[in-house]
Amino acid sequence: MAPFDLPLDQLERFAPAVPEPEDFDAFWSSTLKDARGDAPILDVHPVPNGLRLVESWDVAFRGFAGDPIRAWYTRPAGVEAPLPAVVEFVGYGRGRGLPQERLTWPVAGYAHLLMDCRGQGDQYGSGGETPDPHASPHGGHWPITRGILAPEDYYYRRLITDAVRAIDAVRELPGVDPARVVAVGNSQGGGLALAVAGLVPDLAALICTAPLLCHPRRAIDITEAGPYGEIVTYLSVHRDAEQAVRRTLSYVDGVAFARRAQAPAHFGVGLRDNICPPSTVFAAFNQYGAHRRCGEDSEDSATSADALPERTIHVYPFNHHEGGEAVQVERQLHWLNARGPFQP
């Protein structure tokens, strides 16, 4: 895939005025208040993983509407001291898989919670174990189109709520320092991590690569690759649904979450990525943390580097959606390990 989006010099300045619903904050405040009516943890029990250096637990915690969400909790074996925790969110179509699959963070010395994605897990990987019991009255059968005609019914309202509750849950698990929790993810997982950064004010750090759901209004206009292509396909059949679809997407737009985020952030993007187009990623990155400083005081404050939280982005000019792969992971590890509060 050749570069198809804006050139890098324009991407580095790309900060579009992506419209937000007037009730965006109220919508998410109400949604999370309803979800947090009960303590997050439902069940925690150890599971054999066949490994000597790390220990694993099967976790169930309350997500949207109190639904049980499954997760793997893994940490270095024999370490009892409270550790910084990484909460990781998986990509589109993937479930949590098996407990021995994703070991980078626990082997690096962190406590690690890997959240399952409700109603996903059948496209690749080793499956998932969390159903989505809420039937969406309208929308396509793909996760990204379920309930897409109304923000209250939308699938990602539920999944983002689950992700926030995963942060609540990890803080209740044994051996975790609740003040040192970081959200991590690529693609869909990156979009969930970014949403968490915008909704959890005391998150300690964000690491995301090629996040999905950033500036989706632009994404569905410039790419037909999935998952955005699934929205395009839906609209090609439901020709009168565009206005409702665009309104719903505005409630889960990563740019809006990025504007509200305050945690130090590490991004990554491939310039040949037609799945999560680079302009959508830069739209979020360039406005990261700007919400609390724009509007009332000065329009310039939204674009001033000195006014924004610490953030960095690694660009891979010749890569597609895979981005930097192991190179990016290495950079993530060095970035997080270099921060004193995150030393295991």
Side-chain angles (χ1 to χ4, degrees):
M1 179 72 189
F4 73 103
D5 208 336
L6 301 174
L8 182 58
D9 63 331
Q10 293 183 34
L11 291 171
E12 292 173 338
R13 303 189 304 272
F14 188 65
V18 177
E20 297 180 8
E22 291 184 359
D23 65 340
F24 181 90
D25 292 310
F27 175 85
W28 282 107
S29 177
S30 174
T31 296
L32 296 180
K33 181 179 178 180
D34 290 344
R36 285 172 161 157
D38 296 298
I41 300 294
L42 289 168
D43 180 64
V44 182
H45 61 269
V47 293
N49 60 21
L51 304 172
R52 296 181 181 179
L53 301 183
V54 297
E55 299 172 312
S56 298
W57 288 260
D58 192 346
V59 174
F61 66 90
R62 290 184 175 91
F64 178 86
D67 299 334
I69 309 299
R70 305 293 291 276
W72 296 124
Y73 176 51
T74 305
R75 54 182 289 119
V79 178
E80 297 181 1
L83 294 173
V86 167
V87 179
E88 184 176 3
F89 307 106
V90 299
Y92 191 77
R94 180 185 284 275
R96 68 172 181 168
L98 300 174
Q100 70 271 22
E101 283 189 60
R102 303 175 82 92
L103 299 176
T104 296
W105 295 106
V107 170
Y110 296 87
H112 179 239
L113 187 74
L114 181 69
M115 189 187 85
D116 205 11
C117 283
R118 62 168 65 223
Q120 295 191 45
D122 298 324
Q123 293 186 29
Y124 66 105
S126 301
E129 299 179 86
T130 302
D132 183 10
H134 301 273
S136 298
H138 303 288
H141 64 278
W142 301 284
I144 203 168
T145 59
R146 293 175 192 164
I148 201 170
L149 295 185
E152 297 79 9
D153 300 327
Y154 194 33
Y155 172 80
Y156 278 99
R157 180 191 183 210
R158 302 192 289 278
L159 195 62
I160 290 170
T161 302
D162 295 345
V164 171
R165 290 296 274 165
I167 303 296
D168 297 342
V170 81
R171 287 173 163 164
E172 299 292 328
L173 291 174
V176 168
D177 181 348
R180 295 187 292 166
V181 176
V182 55
V184 171
N186 300 330
S187 193
Q188 174 185 258
L192 293 176
L194 182 57
V196 164
L199 293 170
V200 179
D202 59 347
L203 189 73
L206 163 69
I207 295 177
C208 68
T209 303
L212 185 69
L213 295 177
C214 294
H215 202 355
R217 294 176 65 94
R218 174 174 173 82
I220 63 175
D221 287 342
I222 66 173
T223 184
E224 294 185 355
Y228 290 120
E230 295 165 2
I231 300 175
V232 173
T233 298
Y234 177 81
L235 290 174
S236 74
V237 175
H238 302 275
R239 297 169 176 84
D240 297 327
E242 180 181 356
Q243 182 175 355
V245 166
R246 291 188 185 273
R247 175 177 178 269
T248 295
L249 291 173
S250 69
Y251 283 87
V252 298
D253 193 328
V255 174
F257 292 123
R259 289 168 175 162
R260 289 158 173 78
Q262 293 297 299
H266 187 285
F267 281 68
V269 62
L271 295 190
R272 297 169 186 250
D273 187 351
N274 67 334
I275 294 176
C276 293
S279 60
T280 68
V281 177
F282 273 95
F285 176 78
N286 289 337
Q287 299 181 67
Y288 189 85
H291 180 76
R292 295 181 185 177
R293 276 164 293 277
C294 64
E296 297 181 357
D297 298 326
S298 168
E299 292 183 0
D300 293 337
S301 63
T303 56
S304 170
D306 294 337
L308 299 172
E310 176 194 342
R311 70 203 199 284
T312 187
I313 188 168
H314 290 282
V315 176
Y316 300 94
F318 298 99
N319 288 95
H320 188 267
H321 195 55
E322 81 283 0
E325 295 185 300
V327 172
Q328 179 71 352
V329 173
E330 181 181 44
R331 287 171 169 168
Q332 293 170 346
L333 286 165
H334 287 315
W335 180 82
L336 196 58
N337 290 340
R339 301 183 57 78
F342 290 97
Q343 291 293 341

